Amino acid sequence: MSDADKTRYSTTVFLKAVLPTLKPLVEGKPGLTKLWGSTNGTVQISACAPDGEFNVNGVQKDAMHFEITDGALQPRLSATDYPDFEIEFKSREDLVTFFTGGLALPKFHGALKKPQLLVKTIGTLLVLSKLMGATEPPEDPDEAALLTKLMFYLLTTGISQLNKAGHPKFKKWAKKQPDRVYQLSVQGKPDLAAYVRVKGGRTRASRGYYKRSRPFFELSFDSVPSALGTLLEIDDMLEATTAGRILMFGAPEYGADFGDLLLTIGGYAK
C-alpha cells in the first residue's frame, strides 16, 4: 500500500470516526455541555486533496461538519459549502500530522465573524486529544467510562467507514460476510456498547446493543478497567482472556479477524 493511500485512510478515520465522537464527548462532560450552551451554527473540518470526496466551491476536499443547534452537536459525514467556521488543512498529510500531535497549521475561515466557534471548537478538540491520547486509564470512573464509550464508537465506525472507502482489508472482510453483527461491550453497562452490522460487502455502525438477535460475535469485557486495559494496549490479551476479564461470544476464528481490524484502525488513529 502506498504512503498516499495510508494517508487517505488515516484521513477517513479522523474525519469520519474520530471527530464524530465530539458529540458524545460534549454530552458526557458537563463542562463542555456548558461551554457550548445555546450555540448555533455550522463547523467544518476539511483537508484539500486533488481527489477529494467533495467539491466545495470549486475546491476538492475530504470533509465533515457539525450542525450545532442550541449547543447540541450533530456530525455530518459530508461537506457544506458555507460553514460558519472552518478548519481547513492544505493537504491530507497536514490533517493527519495535526491530529497525531505534529506541527501543521490549518487555515481558520470565519474566525473573525464567529470567534466563539473558534474558541469552543479548538477547546473541545484539545479535550478530545487529551482523553484519546491517554496511555493509562483515567482515575476518575466517569472519565474512564466515557473514554471506553468513545473508543467503542471510534472502532466500530472506523470499520464501516474504511470499508466504504475501499480499504482492501476491510472490503475483503465485508464481502465474505452474509449478514452478521460484531459487537463491543462492557458487561452490565448497557450504555457502553457499539456494533457494526455487515452484509454482503455493506456495513453500518451503530451505538448500543444489537437487540434483534444475539450478535454473531461479541467482544465483551467484565469491567471498564479491563476494557481500557485492552484498548490502551497495556494488558496482555491472552492473560486477560484466561482470567475472565475478556469474554468472547462466538467463533474464535472470526474474533481473530475482527480483532485484526480493530488494531488496524487503532494504527491509523495514532
Side-chain angles (χ1 to χ4, degrees):
M1 182 180 296
S2 68
D3 288 342
D5 282 339
K6 291 178 182 177
T7 300
R8 179 166 66 88
Y9 294 134
S10 287
T11 301
T12 296
V13 169
F14 281 114
L15 288 177
K16 297 190 175 184
V18 175
L19 287 172
T21 64
L22 289 180
K23 174 181 170 63
L25 176 70
V26 170
E27 293 172 345
K29 290 187 74 67
L32 291 179
T33 304
K34 183 178 180 180
L35 174 68
W36 285 93
S38 57
T39 304
N40 292 282
T42 55
V43 172
Q44 181 155 278
I45 301 174
S46 66
C48 300
D51 59 342
E53 188 176 3
F54 307 104
N55 185 304
V56 184
N57 295 316
V59 179
Q60 292 301 128
K61 296 181 176 182
D62 290 338
M64 66 84 64
H65 69 281
F66 292 95
E67 293 177 356
I68 304 155
T69 305
D70 295 331
L73 278 67
Q74 182 60 52
R76 303 296 184 192
L77 305 185
S78 61
T80 180
D81 286 338
Y82 302 104
D84 294 303
F85 172 64
E86 180 175 13
I87 300 176
E88 180 194 78
F89 295 89
K90 68 179 181 181
S91 66
R92 289 170 176 150
E93 289 79 6
D94 274 13
L95 182 146
V96 172
T97 297
F98 179 86
F99 283 109
T100 52
L103 183 60
L105 299 178
K107 292 181 180 179
F108 298 132
H109 300 290
L112 294 178
K113 291 184 178 180
K114 298 282 186 176
Q116 72 276 18
L117 288 180
L118 166 66
V119 173
K120 294 176 183 181
T121 301
I122 295 299
T124 305
L125 286 173
L126 289 173
V127 173
L128 179 67
S129 177
K130 182 179 179 182
L131 185 60
M132 288 287 203
T135 56
E136 296 287 338
E139 293 183 4
D140 180 80
D142 292 337
E143 194 92 341
L146 179 58
L147 176 57
T148 302
K149 177 186 290 187
L150 299 189
M151 294 189 78
F152 280 178
Y153 291 175
L154 185 167
L155 292 168
T156 51
T157 301
I159 288 176
S160 184
Q161 291 302 323
L162 284 179
N163 173 55
K164 292 174 182 178
H167 189 292
K169 178 186 290 188
F170 292 80
K171 190 174 180 180
K172 180 180 179 180
W173 174 81
K175 273 189 173 181
K176 64 183 181 181
Q177 306 290 326
D179 188 358
R180 293 168 174 167
V181 171
Y182 291 79
Q183 183 163 280
L184 294 170
S185 68
V186 174
Q187 295 287 299
K189 302 283 187 180
D191 58 324
L192 299 183
Y195 64 88
V196 58
R197 184 176 181 181
V198 54
K199 180 180 181 181
R202 294 178 297 168
T203 48
R204 181 178 180 180
S206 299
R207 300 170 180 178
Y209 278 101
Y210 184 70
K211 298 179 180 179
R212 292 186 180 180
S213 62
R214 188 172 185 83
F216 176 75
F217 181 82
E218 181 177 8
L219 178 60
S220 190
F221 302 91
D222 71 336
S223 66
V224 169
S226 294
L228 291 179
T230 295
L231 295 172
L232 299 180
E233 299 180 20
I234 56 178
D235 205 357
D236 181 271
M237 287 193 66
L238 181 59
E239 181 184 326
T241 302
T242 303
R245 296 194 295 274
I246 296 178
L247 302 98
M248 298 185 190
F249 304 99
E253 61 270 24
Y254 292 98
D257 290 340
F258 183 54
D260 183 47
L261 299 183
L262 299 180
L263 289 173
T264 300
I265 293 166
Y268 282 125
K270 288 183 178 178

